[in-house]
Amino acid sequence: MDLRNAFRGRRKWFAAAGALVVLVGIGAASTSHHRGHGPEARADWVTKMATRKLDLDAAQRAEFRKVADAFVAASVSNRTIAGQMLRDTQALVGAAQIDAAAVTALTGRLKAEFDQRVDAVLPSFLAFHASLNSDQRGKLTRRMDRILRRLSD
């Protein structure tokens, strides 16, 4: 057996486990930054910032608040599931050998949680987006570009 071919399969699983650890780590880091602030307080702050940065009127602010409330409802209801996934990932990383089936199962649960949150937030986001004018959509696009550039650096 060639050493290169023997390592190829392991590399794939190490990459999958590493990607999973990074995803869970980002989730944990993003929630730990706001320790002491509940989801409702964060939703209030985001609504205030969006209102100011996008120059939203009262009706648009109400639509954005529906998006924030839907996200809060989805995140609060799934907080225990996220904690369990983090503990499962920690157990996988700490194990002597990583089982491919366990990584696949954990990845599937992570995808299912993401899909569930998107399904909960998407209808209210589409209504909010439809209420924006072209200038506000441009501001939103520029803001997202700025955030993406900051994340890529």
Side-chain angles (χ1 to χ4, degrees):
M1 180 188 295
D2 186 70
L3 180 63
R4 192 168 154 203
N5 289 333
F7 189 71
R8 186 173 302 211
R10 287 190 194 133
R11 186 182 320 164
K12 179 175 66 172
W13 293 114
F14 282 129
L20 187 63
V21 168
V22 168
L23 286 174
V24 172
I26 288 171
S30 67
T31 57
S32 66
H33 180 280
H34 299 285
R35 201 165 273 156
H37 302 289
E40 293 82 11
R42 283 182 282 177
D44 290 340
W45 180 80
V46 168
T47 302
K48 183 178 75 172
M49 292 302 291
T51 301
R52 186 172 57 115
K53 300 280 184 182
L54 299 175
D55 299 323
L56 301 179
D57 61 19
Q60 292 169 331
R61 187 178 193 282
E63 288 295 329
F64 185 84
R65 187 60 201 198
K66 289 177 187 175
V67 174
D69 290 342
F71 185 80
V72 166
S75 66
V76 167
S77 67
N78 296 327
R79 191 164 293 266
T80 58
I81 295 169
Q84 182 60 43
M85 282 195 281
L86 184 59
R87 286 188 291 279
D88 291 348
T89 302
Q90 183 180 17
L92 278 175
V93 171
Q97 186 146 359
I98 296 177
D99 181 28
V103 172
T104 303
L106 193 56
T107 304
R109 283 179 35 209
L110 190 64
K111 288 177 184 177
E113 284 299 314
F114 180 79
D115 290 344
Q116 183 180 2
R117 288 183 187 201
V118 167
D119 290 343
V121 174
L122 190 61
S124 55
F125 179 76
L126 292 176
F128 167 69
H129 187 267
S131 72
L132 296 176
N133 62 36
S134 61
D135 182 47
Q136 291 168 325
R137 285 187 188 122
K139 286 180 183 180
L140 183 60
T141 302
R142 286 189 299 276
R143 176 70 53 191
M144 290 178 73
D145 284 341
R146 184 174 166 203
I147 291 169
L148 290 173
R149 273 195 315 269
R150 199 178 303 156
L151 289 174
S152 68
D153 289 344

